[in-house]
Amino acid sequence: MLEQGYTIAIDGPAAAGKGTISKAVATHFGFAHLDTGLLYRAVGRRVLQGEEAVSAAQSLTADELEPGDLRTAEIAQAASKVAVIPEVRSALLDFQRAFARRAGGAVLDGRDIGTVICPNADVKLFVTASPEVRAERRYLELAAKGTEISRDQVLADVKERDARDAERSTAPMKPADNAVLLDTSDLSIDAALARAIEIVEQNLPGA
Ligand code: CDP
């Protein structure tokens, strides 16, 4: 186990495959994994239930981060709307930074991990794919859960969220200067995972 915190930051636009890659990288290296999108989704869900966004973020608890109920198209949109509010972002900052520093290593995935949350991360990846490829992956994911939604609607949602995430003034989604870009448009899941693991291995201490 790594005595000191070792942090891997994985950012990228909606449905780029960050979740799958982050989980697999964490498992491969025995690190803990935090999907930071779940924090914004949990706040988004509370807002859909009528709560005010900033107080929801300030009182969020770990037991609200179960991915099962949070991965809906409606909550994704609500998440990206609360994510533009600076006070929401600052309320979620300490939790993410503490997670990143934990002994044994940590993988965090999101939009601003390499730029704002962990600017000193040991490895930074920015995972992308074309909007059409990402929308198709997300459509299949939602359809497998029985969600009734069209491909066109998923593509429109993905583009709308990308625009909001990239254009906000606080912590906009963008690759960190020293991030390695990984475009998965033409890669199978296995090939994308292999490439991500290779990038991390090249940066491990002693590599
Ligand atoms: O899984 P997907 O890529 O569709 O989204 P997610 O990672 O669960 O994030 C949902 C929304 O939360 C994003 O569209 C962002 O608006 C926001 N988010 C953010 O602003 N910063 C992060 N570090 C993670 C998510």
Side-chain angles (χ1 to χ4, degrees), residues 11-19 35-38 40-41 71 75-76 79-81 83-84 89 96 109-113 117 138 141 161-162 164-165 168 171:
D11 291 303
K18 300 179 304 290
D35 172 353
T36 66
L38 293 178
Y40 296 90
R41 285 175 182 260
R71 303 217 149 280
I75 292 178
S80 83
K81 289 179 188 160
V84 304
R89 306 198 70 84
Q96 296 175 82
D109 76 89
R111 301 289 185 291
D112 61 339
I113 308 303
I117 305 294
R138 182 53 49 92
E141 211 177 289
R161 220 145 46 88
D162 285 352
R164 202 183 287 123
D165 291 345
R168 66 181 176 226

PDB file of all heavy atoms in Angstrom, residues 11-19 35-38 40-41 71 75-76 79-81 83-84 89 96 109-113 117 138 141 161-162 164-165 168 171, ligand 1:
ATOM      1  N   ASP A  11     -10.931  13.425 -15.653  1.00  0.00           N
ATOM      2  CA  ASP A  11     -12.012  14.347 -16.017  1.00  0.00           C
ATOM      3  C   ASP A  11     -12.474  14.080 -17.442  1.00  0.00           C
ATOM      4  O   ASP A  11     -11.814  13.364 -18.203  1.00  0.00           O
ATOM      5  CB  ASP A  11     -11.504  15.797 -15.912  1.00  0.00           C
ATOM      6  CG  ASP A  11     -11.244  16.210 -14.476  1.00  0.00           C
ATOM      7  OD1 ASP A  11     -12.183  16.132 -13.668  1.00  0.00           O
ATOM      8  OD2 ASP A  11     -10.097  16.600 -14.169  1.00  0.00           O
ATOM      9  N   GLY A  12     -13.594  14.713 -17.784  1.00  0.00           N
ATOM     10  CA  GLY A  12     -14.083  14.595 -19.151  1.00  0.00           C
ATOM     11  C   GLY A  12     -15.564  14.892 -19.230  1.00  0.00           C
ATOM     12  O   GLY A  12     -16.227  15.014 -18.200  1.00  0.00           O
ATOM     13  N   PRO A  13     -16.085  15.034 -20.456  1.00  0.00           N
ATOM     14  CA  PRO A  13     -17.493  15.399 -20.635  1.00  0.00           C
ATOM     15  C   PRO A  13     -18.448  14.243 -20.313  1.00  0.00           C
ATOM     16  O   PRO A  13     -18.013  13.135 -20.000  1.00  0.00           O
ATOM     17  CB  PRO A  13     -17.560  15.775 -22.120  1.00  0.00           C
ATOM     18  CG  PRO A  13     -16.461  15.003 -22.760  1.00  0.00           C
ATOM     19  CD  PRO A  13     -15.370  14.908 -21.737  1.00  0.00           C
ATOM     20  N   ALA A  14     -19.745  14.547 -20.405  1.00  0.00           N
ATOM     21  CA  ALA A  14     -20.785  13.593 -20.022  1.00  0.00           C
ATOM     22  C   ALA A  14     -20.662  12.273 -20.772  1.00  0.00           C
ATOM     23  O   ALA A  14     -20.466  12.255 -21.988  1.00  0.00           O
ATOM     24  CB  ALA A  14     -22.155  14.217 -20.299  1.00  0.00           C
ATOM     25  N   ALA A  15     -20.773  11.191 -20.024  1.00  0.00           N
ATOM     26  CA  ALA A  15     -20.830   9.839 -20.593  1.00  0.00           C
ATOM     27  C   ALA A  15     -19.615   9.487 -21.454  1.00  0.00           C
ATOM     28  O   ALA A  15     -19.721   8.731 -22.415  1.00  0.00           O
ATOM     29  CB  ALA A  15     -22.128   9.661 -21.395  1.00  0.00           C
ATOM     30  N   ALA A  16     -18.453  10.023 -21.078  1.00  0.00           N
ATOM     31  CA  ALA A  16     -17.235   9.737 -21.857  1.00  0.00           C
ATOM     32  C   ALA A  16     -16.622   8.388 -21.489  1.00  0.00           C
ATOM     33  O   ALA A  16     -15.671   7.940 -22.128  1.00  0.00           O
ATOM     34  CB  ALA A  16     -16.207  10.846 -21.639  1.00  0.00           C
ATOM     35  N   GLY A  17     -17.143   7.765 -20.444  1.00  0.00           N
ATOM     36  CA  GLY A  17     -16.556   6.502 -19.989  1.00  0.00           C
ATOM     37  C   GLY A  17     -15.644   6.693 -18.795  1.00  0.00           C
ATOM     38  O   GLY A  17     -14.928   5.782 -18.395  1.00  0.00           O
ATOM     39  N   LYS A  18     -15.695   7.881 -18.178  1.00  0.00           N
ATOM     40  CA  LYS A  18     -14.852   8.156 -17.003  1.00  0.00           C
ATOM     41  C   LYS A  18     -15.133   7.170 -15.876  1.00  0.00           C
ATOM     42  O   LYS A  18     -14.226   6.722 -15.203  1.00  0.00           O
ATOM     43  CB  LYS A  18     -15.126   9.558 -16.427  1.00  0.00           C
ATOM     44  CG  LYS A  18     -14.892  10.702 -17.343  1.00  0.00           C
ATOM     45  CD  LYS A  18     -15.235  12.015 -16.645  1.00  0.00           C
ATOM     46  CE  LYS A  18     -16.648  12.077 -16.103  1.00  0.00           C
ATOM     47  NZ  LYS A  18     -17.708  12.164 -17.114  1.00  0.00           N
ATOM     48  N   GLY A  19     -16.419   6.884 -15.678  1.00  0.00           N
ATOM     49  CA  GLY A  19     -16.809   6.017 -14.565  1.00  0.00           C
ATOM     50  C   GLY A  19     -16.215   4.628 -14.715  1.00  0.00           C
ATOM     51  O   GLY A  19     -15.571   4.109 -13.798  1.00  0.00           O
ATOM     52  N   ASP A  35     -16.590   8.857  -7.425  1.00  0.00           N
ATOM     53  CA  ASP A  35     -17.270   9.433  -8.583  1.00  0.00           C
ATOM     54  C   ASP A  35     -17.869  10.756  -8.106  1.00  0.00           C
ATOM     55  O   ASP A  35     -18.922  10.774  -7.463  1.00  0.00           O
ATOM     56  CB  ASP A  35     -18.359   8.447  -9.032  1.00  0.00           C
ATOM     57  CG  ASP A  35     -19.274   9.014 -10.102  1.00  0.00           C
ATOM     58  OD1 ASP A  35     -19.171  10.219 -10.412  1.00  0.00           O
ATOM     59  OD2 ASP A  35     -20.097   8.244 -10.616  1.00  0.00           O
ATOM     60  N   THR A  36     -17.192  11.877  -8.396  1.00  0.00           N
ATOM     61  CA  THR A  36     -17.641  13.155  -7.828  1.00  0.00           C
ATOM     62  C   THR A  36     -18.945  13.641  -8.455  1.00  0.00           C
ATOM     63  O   THR A  36     -19.636  14.481  -7.888  1.00  0.00           O
ATOM     64  CB  THR A  36     -16.560  14.259  -7.961  1.00  0.00           C
ATOM     65  OG1 THR A  36     -16.366  14.558  -9.351  1.00  0.00           O
ATOM     66  CG2 THR A  36     -15.248  13.828  -7.329  1.00  0.00           C
ATOM     67  N   GLY A  37     -19.300  13.099  -9.622  1.00  0.00           N
ATOM     68  CA  GLY A  37     -20.582  13.443 -10.231  1.00  0.00           C
ATOM     69  C   GLY A  37     -21.742  13.082  -9.309  1.00  0.00           C
ATOM     70  O   GLY A  37     -22.787  13.749  -9.317  1.00  0.00           O
ATOM     71  N   LEU A  38     -21.547  12.041  -8.480  1.00  0.00           N
ATOM     72  CA  LEU A  38     -22.627  11.630  -7.574  1.00  0.00           C
ATOM     73  C   LEU A  38     -22.938  12.718  -6.547  1.00  0.00           C
ATOM     74  O   LEU A  38     -24.079  12.847  -6.109  1.00  0.00           O
ATOM     75  CB  LEU A  38     -22.250  10.327  -6.840  1.00  0.00           C
ATOM     76  CG  LEU A  38     -22.134   9.078  -7.717  1.00  0.00           C
ATOM     77  CD1 LEU A  38     -21.708   7.887  -6.859  1.00  0.00           C
ATOM     78  CD2 LEU A  38     -23.462   8.770  -8.420  1.00  0.00           C
ATOM     79  N   TYR A  40     -22.836  15.998  -7.062  1.00  0.00           N
ATOM     80  CA  TYR A  40     -23.693  16.995  -7.726  1.00  0.00           C
ATOM     81  C   TYR A  40     -25.064  16.399  -8.049  1.00  0.00           C
ATOM     82  O   TYR A  40     -26.087  17.091  -7.988  1.00  0.00           O
ATOM     83  CB  TYR A  40     -22.990  17.533  -8.980  1.00  0.00           C
ATOM     84  CG  TYR A  40     -21.728  18.266  -8.618  1.00  0.00           C
ATOM     85  CD1 TYR A  40     -20.504  17.597  -8.543  1.00  0.00           C
ATOM     86  CD2 TYR A  40     -21.760  19.616  -8.262  1.00  0.00           C
ATOM     87  CE1 TYR A  40     -19.340  18.252  -8.149  1.00  0.00           C
ATOM     88  CE2 TYR A  40     -20.608  20.275  -7.871  1.00  0.00           C
ATOM     89  CZ  TYR A  40     -19.403  19.591  -7.816  1.00  0.00           C
ATOM     90  OH  TYR A  40     -18.274  20.228  -7.408  1.00  0.00           O
ATOM     91  N   ARG A  41     -25.083  15.121  -8.398  1.00  0.00           N
ATOM     92  CA  ARG A  41     -26.371  14.468  -8.656  1.00  0.00           C
ATOM     93  C   ARG A  41     -27.221  14.419  -7.381  1.00  0.00           C
ATOM     94  O   ARG A  41     -28.439  14.641  -7.423  1.00  0.00           O
ATOM     95  CB  ARG A  41     -26.142  13.050  -9.199  1.00  0.00           C
ATOM     96  CG  ARG A  41     -25.689  13.041 -10.659  1.00  0.00           C
ATOM     97  CD  ARG A  41     -25.347  11.621 -11.130  1.00  0.00           C
ATOM     98  NE  ARG A  41     -24.872  11.620 -12.504  1.00  0.00           N
ATOM     99  CZ  ARG A  41     -25.622  11.293 -13.564  1.00  0.00           C
ATOM    100  NH1 ARG A  41     -26.871  10.918 -13.402  1.00  0.00           N
ATOM    101  NH2 ARG A  41     -25.105  11.330 -14.782  1.00  0.00           N
ATOM    102  N   ARG A  71     -28.606   7.844 -11.231  1.00  0.00           N
ATOM    103  CA  ARG A  71     -28.211   7.856 -12.637  1.00  0.00           C
ATOM    104  C   ARG A  71     -29.402   7.967 -13.581  1.00  0.00           C
ATOM    105  O   ARG A  71     -29.571   7.143 -14.478  1.00  0.00           O
ATOM    106  CB  ARG A  71     -27.413   6.583 -12.974  1.00  0.00           C
ATOM    107  CG  ARG A  71     -26.207   6.403 -12.122  1.00  0.00           C
ATOM    108  CD  ARG A  71     -25.050   5.811 -12.917  1.00  0.00           C
ATOM    109  NE  ARG A  71     -23.807   6.285 -12.383  1.00  0.00           N
ATOM    110  CZ  ARG A  71     -23.270   7.468 -12.647  1.00  0.00           C
ATOM    111  NH1 ARG A  71     -23.833   8.285 -13.500  1.00  0.00           N
ATOM    112  NH2 ARG A  71     -22.159   7.847 -12.079  1.00  0.00           N
ATOM    113  N   ILE A  75     -32.010  13.706 -13.202  1.00  0.00           N
ATOM    114  CA  ILE A  75     -31.069  14.105 -12.145  1.00  0.00           C
ATOM    115  C   ILE A  75     -29.764  14.620 -12.758  1.00  0.00           C
ATOM    116  O   ILE A  75     -29.148  15.552 -12.231  1.00  0.00           O
ATOM    117  CB  ILE A  75     -30.839  12.949 -11.142  1.00  0.00           C
ATOM    118  CG1 ILE A  75     -32.121  12.686 -10.358  1.00  0.00           C
ATOM    119  CG2 ILE A  75     -29.681  13.267 -10.197  1.00  0.00           C
ATOM    120  CD1 ILE A  75     -32.048  11.539  -9.360  1.00  0.00           C
ATOM    121  N   ALA A  76     -29.356  14.073 -13.895  1.00  0.00           N
ATOM    122  CA  ALA A  76     -28.128  14.563 -14.550  1.00  0.00           C
ATOM    123  C   ALA A  76     -28.272  16.042 -14.914  1.00  0.00           C
ATOM    124  O   ALA A  76     -27.366  16.852 -14.684  1.00  0.00           O
ATOM    125  CB  ALA A  76     -27.832  13.729 -15.799  1.00  0.00           C
ATOM    126  N   ALA A  79     -28.216  18.114 -11.825  1.00  0.00           N
ATOM    127  CA  ALA A  79     -26.845  18.180 -11.299  1.00  0.00           C
ATOM    128  C   ALA A  79     -26.066  19.282 -12.001  1.00  0.00           C
ATOM    129  O   ALA A  79     -25.380  20.089 -11.361  1.00  0.00           O
ATOM    130  CB  ALA A  79     -26.147  16.829 -11.485  1.00  0.00           C
ATOM    131  N   SER A  80     -26.184  19.347 -13.321  1.00  0.00           N
ATOM    132  CA  SER A  80     -25.366  20.342 -14.028  1.00  0.00           C
ATOM    133  C   SER A  80     -25.875  21.752 -13.771  1.00  0.00           C
ATOM    134  O   SER A  80     -25.118  22.714 -13.879  1.00  0.00           O
ATOM    135  CB  SER A  80     -25.240  20.008 -15.516  1.00  0.00           C
ATOM    136  OG  SER A  80     -26.329  20.461 -16.246  1.00  0.00           O
ATOM    137  N   LYS A  81     -27.137  21.879 -13.386  1.00  0.00           N
ATOM    138  CA  LYS A  81     -27.639  23.219 -13.035  1.00  0.00           C
ATOM    139  C   LYS A  81     -27.132  23.656 -11.660  1.00  0.00           C
ATOM    140  O   LYS A  81     -26.733  24.802 -11.481  1.00  0.00           O
ATOM    141  CB  LYS A  81     -29.167  23.247 -13.082  1.00  0.00           C
ATOM    142  CG  LYS A  81     -29.678  23.177 -14.507  1.00  0.00           C
ATOM    143  CD  LYS A  81     -31.190  23.175 -14.582  1.00  0.00           C
ATOM    144  CE  LYS A  81     -31.629  22.902 -16.016  1.00  0.00           C
ATOM    145  NZ  LYS A  81     -33.003  22.442 -16.097  1.00  0.00           N
ATOM    146  N   ALA A  83     -24.431  22.636 -10.365  1.00  0.00           N
ATOM    147  CA  ALA A  83     -22.967  22.668 -10.442  1.00  0.00           C
ATOM    148  C   ALA A  83     -22.416  24.020 -10.897  1.00  0.00           C
ATOM    149  O   ALA A  83     -21.216  24.262 -10.774  1.00  0.00           O
ATOM    150  CB  ALA A  83     -22.470  21.558 -11.374  1.00  0.00           C
ATOM    151  N   VAL A  84     -23.279  24.910 -11.408  1.00  0.00           N
ATOM    152  CA  VAL A  84     -22.780  26.242 -11.796  1.00  0.00           C
ATOM    153  C   VAL A  84     -22.711  27.188 -10.584  1.00  0.00           C
ATOM    154  O   VAL A  84     -22.126  28.264 -10.678  1.00  0.00           O
ATOM    155  CB  VAL A  84     -23.653  26.921 -12.895  1.00  0.00           C
ATOM    156  CG1 VAL A  84     -23.780  26.040 -14.111  1.00  0.00           C
ATOM    157  CG2 VAL A  84     -25.021  27.299 -12.363  1.00  0.00           C
ATOM    158  N   ARG A  89     -20.320  24.333  -5.144  1.00  0.00           N
ATOM    159  CA  ARG A  89     -19.015  23.727  -5.414  1.00  0.00           C
ATOM    160  C   ARG A  89     -18.110  23.831  -4.183  1.00  0.00           C
ATOM    161  O   ARG A  89     -17.431  22.881  -3.834  1.00  0.00           O
ATOM    162  CB  ARG A  89     -18.343  24.362  -6.635  1.00  0.00           C
ATOM    163  CG  ARG A  89     -19.207  24.355  -7.906  1.00  0.00           C
ATOM    164  CD  ARG A  89     -18.391  24.566  -9.153  1.00  0.00           C
ATOM    165  NE  ARG A  89     -17.562  23.407  -9.433  1.00  0.00           N
ATOM    166  CZ  ARG A  89     -17.968  22.314 -10.075  1.00  0.00           C
ATOM    167  NH1 ARG A  89     -19.194  22.220 -10.535  1.00  0.00           N
ATOM    168  NH2 ARG A  89     -17.154  21.307 -10.260  1.00  0.00           N
ATOM    169  N   GLN A  96     -13.991  16.213  -1.113  1.00  0.00           N
ATOM    170  CA  GLN A  96     -13.248  15.652  -2.249  1.00  0.00           C
ATOM    171  C   GLN A  96     -11.741  15.691  -1.999  1.00  0.00           C
ATOM    172  O   GLN A  96     -11.021  14.737  -2.294  1.00  0.00           O
ATOM    173  CB  GLN A  96     -13.573  16.433  -3.528  1.00  0.00           C
ATOM    174  CG  GLN A  96     -15.035  16.303  -3.947  1.00  0.00           C
ATOM    175  CD  GLN A  96     -15.352  17.186  -5.143  1.00  0.00           C
ATOM    176  OE1 GLN A  96     -15.087  16.831  -6.291  1.00  0.00           O
ATOM    177  NE2 GLN A  96     -15.930  18.347  -4.898  1.00  0.00           N
ATOM    178  N   ASP A 109     -13.079  10.980 -10.243  1.00  0.00           N
ATOM    179  CA  ASP A 109     -13.457  11.386 -11.588  1.00  0.00           C
ATOM    180  C   ASP A 109     -14.533  12.455 -11.548  1.00  0.00           C
ATOM    181  O   ASP A 109     -15.340  12.510 -10.629  1.00  0.00           O
ATOM    182  CB  ASP A 109     -13.857  10.188 -12.458  1.00  0.00           C
ATOM    183  CG  ASP A 109     -15.225   9.622 -12.167  1.00  0.00           C
ATOM    184  OD1 ASP A 109     -16.200  10.090 -12.771  1.00  0.00           O
ATOM    185  OD2 ASP A 109     -15.312   8.690 -11.349  1.00  0.00           O
ATOM    186  N   GLY A 110     -14.458  13.370 -12.540  1.00  0.00           N
ATOM    187  CA  GLY A 110     -15.403  14.483 -12.563  1.00  0.00           C
ATOM    188  C   GLY A 110     -15.149  15.419 -13.721  1.00  0.00           C
ATOM    189  O   GLY A 110     -14.940  14.986 -14.868  1.00  0.00           O
ATOM    190  N   ARG A 111     -15.199  16.730 -13.430  1.00  0.00           N
ATOM    191  CA  ARG A 111     -15.006  17.736 -14.469  1.00  0.00           C
ATOM    192  C   ARG A 111     -13.828  18.657 -14.162  1.00  0.00           C
ATOM    193  O   ARG A 111     -13.201  19.202 -15.054  1.00  0.00           O
ATOM    194  CB  ARG A 111     -16.257  18.630 -14.600  1.00  0.00           C
ATOM    195  CG  ARG A 111     -17.543  17.882 -14.934  1.00  0.00           C
ATOM    196  CD  ARG A 111     -17.519  17.374 -16.354  1.00  0.00           C
ATOM    197  NE  ARG A 111     -18.787  16.752 -16.765  1.00  0.00           N
ATOM    198  CZ  ARG A 111     -19.273  15.620 -16.315  1.00  0.00           C
ATOM    199  NH1 ARG A 111     -18.607  14.940 -15.403  1.00  0.00           N
ATOM    200  NH2 ARG A 111     -20.411  15.134 -16.784  1.00  0.00           N
ATOM    201  N   ASP A 112     -13.575  18.855 -12.841  1.00  0.00           N
ATOM    202  CA  ASP A 112     -12.594  19.860 -12.399  1.00  0.00           C
ATOM    203  C   ASP A 112     -11.573  19.253 -11.445  1.00  0.00           C
ATOM    204  O   ASP A 112     -10.989  19.951 -10.642  1.00  0.00           O
ATOM    205  CB  ASP A 112     -13.330  20.998 -11.672  1.00  0.00           C
ATOM    206  CG  ASP A 112     -14.062  20.497 -10.428  1.00  0.00           C
ATOM    207  OD1 ASP A 112     -14.347  19.278 -10.339  1.00  0.00           O
ATOM    208  OD2 ASP A 112     -14.329  21.309  -9.526  1.00  0.00           O
ATOM    209  N   ILE A 113     -11.385  17.941 -11.512  1.00  0.00           N
ATOM    210  CA  ILE A 113     -10.489  17.305 -10.538  1.00  0.00           C
ATOM    211  C   ILE A 113      -9.038  17.723 -10.801  1.00  0.00           C
ATOM    212  O   ILE A 113      -8.328  18.147  -9.893  1.00  0.00           O
ATOM    213  CB  ILE A 113     -10.627  15.755 -10.575  1.00  0.00           C
ATOM    214  CG1 ILE A 113     -12.099  15.333 -10.438  1.00  0.00           C
ATOM    215  CG2 ILE A 113      -9.770  15.119  -9.469  1.00  0.00           C
ATOM    216  CD1 ILE A 113     -12.794  15.824  -9.208  1.00  0.00           C
ATOM    217  N   ILE A 117      -9.824  20.729  -7.957  1.00  0.00           N
ATOM    218  CA  ILE A 117      -9.867  19.926  -6.723  1.00  0.00           C
ATOM    219  C   ILE A 117      -8.470  19.414  -6.375  1.00  0.00           C
ATOM    220  O   ILE A 117      -8.018  19.534  -5.242  1.00  0.00           O
ATOM    221  CB  ILE A 117     -10.858  18.732  -6.864  1.00  0.00           C
ATOM    222  CG1 ILE A 117     -12.252  19.221  -7.274  1.00  0.00           C
ATOM    223  CG2 ILE A 117     -10.925  17.916  -5.565  1.00  0.00           C
ATOM    224  CD1 ILE A 117     -12.972  20.061  -6.265  1.00  0.00           C
ATOM    225  N   ARG A 138     -24.643   6.247 -23.530  1.00  0.00           N
ATOM    226  CA  ARG A 138     -25.568   6.597 -22.453  1.00  0.00           C
ATOM    227  C   ARG A 138     -26.980   6.098 -22.763  1.00  0.00           C
ATOM    228  O   ARG A 138     -27.690   5.619 -21.878  1.00  0.00           O
ATOM    229  CB  ARG A 138     -25.548   8.121 -22.217  1.00  0.00           C
ATOM    230  CG  ARG A 138     -26.425   8.659 -21.103  1.00  0.00           C
ATOM    231  CD  ARG A 138     -26.213   7.990 -19.744  1.00  0.00           C
ATOM    232  NE  ARG A 138     -24.857   7.867 -19.299  1.00  0.00           N
ATOM    233  CZ  ARG A 138     -24.221   8.762 -18.539  1.00  0.00           C
ATOM    234  NH1 ARG A 138     -24.827   9.833 -18.141  1.00  0.00           N
ATOM    235  NH2 ARG A 138     -22.971   8.550 -18.169  1.00  0.00           N
ATOM    236  N   GLU A 141     -27.166   2.494 -21.917  1.00  0.00           N
ATOM    237  CA  GLU A 141     -27.169   2.344 -20.452  1.00  0.00           C
ATOM    238  C   GLU A 141     -28.569   2.606 -19.887  1.00  0.00           C
ATOM    239  O   GLU A 141     -29.084   1.838 -19.078  1.00  0.00           O
ATOM    240  CB  GLU A 141     -26.212   3.410 -19.907  1.00  0.00           C
ATOM    241  CG  GLU A 141     -25.454   3.112 -18.648  1.00  0.00           C
ATOM    242  CD  GLU A 141     -24.527   4.306 -18.366  1.00  0.00           C
ATOM    243  OE1 GLU A 141     -23.528   4.509 -19.099  1.00  0.00           O
ATOM    244  OE2 GLU A 141     -24.831   5.057 -17.441  1.00  0.00           O
ATOM    245  N   ARG A 161     -25.674  19.608 -21.473  1.00  0.00           N
ATOM    246  CA  ARG A 161     -24.887  19.522 -20.242  1.00  0.00           C
ATOM    247  C   ARG A 161     -23.423  19.901 -20.497  1.00  0.00           C
ATOM    248  O   ARG A 161     -22.807  20.623 -19.716  1.00  0.00           O
ATOM    249  CB  ARG A 161     -24.970  18.095 -19.718  1.00  0.00           C
ATOM    250  CG  ARG A 161     -25.096  18.018 -18.236  1.00  0.00           C
ATOM    251  CD  ARG A 161     -25.947  16.895 -17.747  1.00  0.00           C
ATOM    252  NE  ARG A 161     -25.760  15.592 -18.315  1.00  0.00           N
ATOM    253  CZ  ARG A 161     -24.898  14.686 -17.889  1.00  0.00           C
ATOM    254  NH1 ARG A 161     -24.067  14.966 -16.897  1.00  0.00           N
ATOM    255  NH2 ARG A 161     -24.851  13.481 -18.434  1.00  0.00           N
ATOM    256  N   ASP A 162     -22.862  19.415 -21.617  1.00  0.00           N
ATOM    257  CA  ASP A 162     -21.468  19.765 -21.950  1.00  0.00           C
ATOM    258  C   ASP A 162     -21.301  21.278 -22.049  1.00  0.00           C
ATOM    259  O   ASP A 162     -20.331  21.841 -21.550  1.00  0.00           O
ATOM    260  CB  ASP A 162     -21.066  19.182 -23.310  1.00  0.00           C
ATOM    261  CG  ASP A 162     -20.821  17.696 -23.261  1.00  0.00           C
ATOM    262  OD1 ASP A 162     -20.814  17.127 -22.152  1.00  0.00           O
ATOM    263  OD2 ASP A 162     -20.629  17.106 -24.339  1.00  0.00           O
ATOM    264  N   ARG A 164     -23.159  23.646 -20.716  1.00  0.00           N
ATOM    265  CA  ARG A 164     -23.289  24.297 -19.401  1.00  0.00           C
ATOM    266  C   ARG A 164     -22.032  24.063 -18.556  1.00  0.00           C
ATOM    267  O   ARG A 164     -21.529  24.961 -17.888  1.00  0.00           O
ATOM    268  CB  ARG A 164     -24.531  23.746 -18.688  1.00  0.00           C
ATOM    269  CG  ARG A 164     -25.054  24.665 -17.621  1.00  0.00           C
ATOM    270  CD  ARG A 164     -26.241  24.066 -16.867  1.00  0.00           C
ATOM    271  NE  ARG A 164     -27.463  24.042 -17.627  1.00  0.00           N
ATOM    272  CZ  ARG A 164     -28.163  22.929 -17.889  1.00  0.00           C
ATOM    273  NH1 ARG A 164     -27.747  21.751 -17.470  1.00  0.00           N
ATOM    274  NH2 ARG A 164     -29.266  22.989 -18.578  1.00  0.00           N
ATOM    275  N   ASP A 165     -21.503  22.842 -18.618  1.00  0.00           N
ATOM    276  CA  ASP A 165     -20.320  22.501 -17.798  1.00  0.00           C
ATOM    277  C   ASP A 165     -19.070  23.234 -18.284  1.00  0.00           C
ATOM    278  O   ASP A 165     -18.211  23.611 -17.487  1.00  0.00           O
ATOM    279  CB  ASP A 165     -20.068  20.988 -17.824  1.00  0.00           C
ATOM    280  CG  ASP A 165     -21.141  20.198 -17.080  1.00  0.00           C
ATOM    281  OD1 ASP A 165     -21.917  20.811 -16.322  1.00  0.00           O
ATOM    282  OD2 ASP A 165     -21.205  18.966 -17.264  1.00  0.00           O
ATOM    283  N   ARG A 168     -19.493  27.489 -17.711  1.00  0.00           N
ATOM    284  CA  ARG A 168     -19.700  28.146 -16.407  1.00  0.00           C
ATOM    285  C   ARG A 168     -18.415  28.848 -15.977  1.00  0.00           C
ATOM    286  O   ARG A 168     -17.313  28.454 -16.380  1.00  0.00           O
ATOM    287  CB  ARG A 168     -20.157  27.125 -15.355  1.00  0.00           C
ATOM    288  CG  ARG A 168     -19.119  26.096 -15.018  1.00  0.00           C
ATOM    289  CD  ARG A 168     -19.633  25.078 -13.987  1.00  0.00           C
ATOM    290  NE  ARG A 168     -18.617  24.072 -13.774  1.00  0.00           N
ATOM    291  CZ  ARG A 168     -18.831  22.763 -13.733  1.00  0.00           C
ATOM    292  NH1 ARG A 168     -20.048  22.273 -13.877  1.00  0.00           N
ATOM    293  NH2 ARG A 168     -17.831  21.946 -13.531  1.00  0.00           N
ATOM    294  N   ALA A 171     -14.890  26.837 -12.034  1.00  0.00           N
ATOM    295  CA  ALA A 171     -14.425  25.471 -12.287  1.00  0.00           C
ATOM    296  C   ALA A 171     -15.022  24.861 -13.564  1.00  0.00           C
ATOM    297  O   ALA A 171     -15.616  23.784 -13.526  1.00  0.00           O
ATOM    298  CB  ALA A 171     -14.728  24.570 -11.085  1.00  0.00           C
TER     299      ALA A 171
HETATM  300  O1  CDP B   1     -21.866  10.339 -15.692  1.00  0.00           O
HETATM  301  P1  CDP B   1     -21.876  11.652 -16.434  1.00  0.00           P
HETATM  302  O2  CDP B   1     -20.580  11.921 -17.112  1.00  0.00           O
HETATM  303  O3  CDP B   1     -23.049  11.797 -17.346  1.00  0.00           O
HETATM  304  O4  CDP B   1     -22.115  12.801 -15.352  1.00  0.00           O
HETATM  305  P2  CDP B   1     -21.561  12.917 -13.872  1.00  0.00           P
HETATM  306  O5  CDP B   1     -20.078  12.734 -13.854  1.00  0.00           O
HETATM  307  O6  CDP B   1     -22.359  12.070 -12.958  1.00  0.00           O
HETATM  308  O7  CDP B   1     -21.827  14.476 -13.522  1.00  0.00           O
HETATM  309  C1  CDP B   1     -23.135  15.018 -13.495  1.00  0.00           C
HETATM  310  C2  CDP B   1     -23.008  16.533 -13.555  1.00  0.00           C
HETATM  311  O8  CDP B   1     -22.363  16.971 -12.355  1.00  0.00           O
HETATM  312  C3  CDP B   1     -22.132  17.087 -14.667  1.00  0.00           C
HETATM  313  O9  CDP B   1     -22.845  17.344 -15.861  1.00  0.00           O
HETATM  314  C4  CDP B   1     -21.565  18.370 -14.059  1.00  0.00           C
HETATM  315  O10 CDP B   1     -22.415  19.448 -14.254  1.00  0.00           O
HETATM  316  C5  CDP B   1     -21.499  18.066 -12.587  1.00  0.00           C
HETATM  317  N1  CDP B   1     -20.135  17.776 -12.112  1.00  0.00           N
HETATM  318  C6  CDP B   1     -19.290  18.852 -11.896  1.00  0.00           C
HETATM  319  O11 CDP B   1     -19.647  19.988 -12.134  1.00  0.00           O
HETATM  320  N2  CDP B   1     -18.041  18.633 -11.382  1.00  0.00           N
HETATM  321  C7  CDP B   1     -17.614  17.404 -11.111  1.00  0.00           C
HETATM  322  N3  CDP B   1     -16.399  17.225 -10.583  1.00  0.00           N
HETATM  323  C8  CDP B   1     -18.447  16.288 -11.373  1.00  0.00           C
HETATM  324  C9  CDP B   1     -19.709  16.511 -11.897  1.00  0.00           C
END
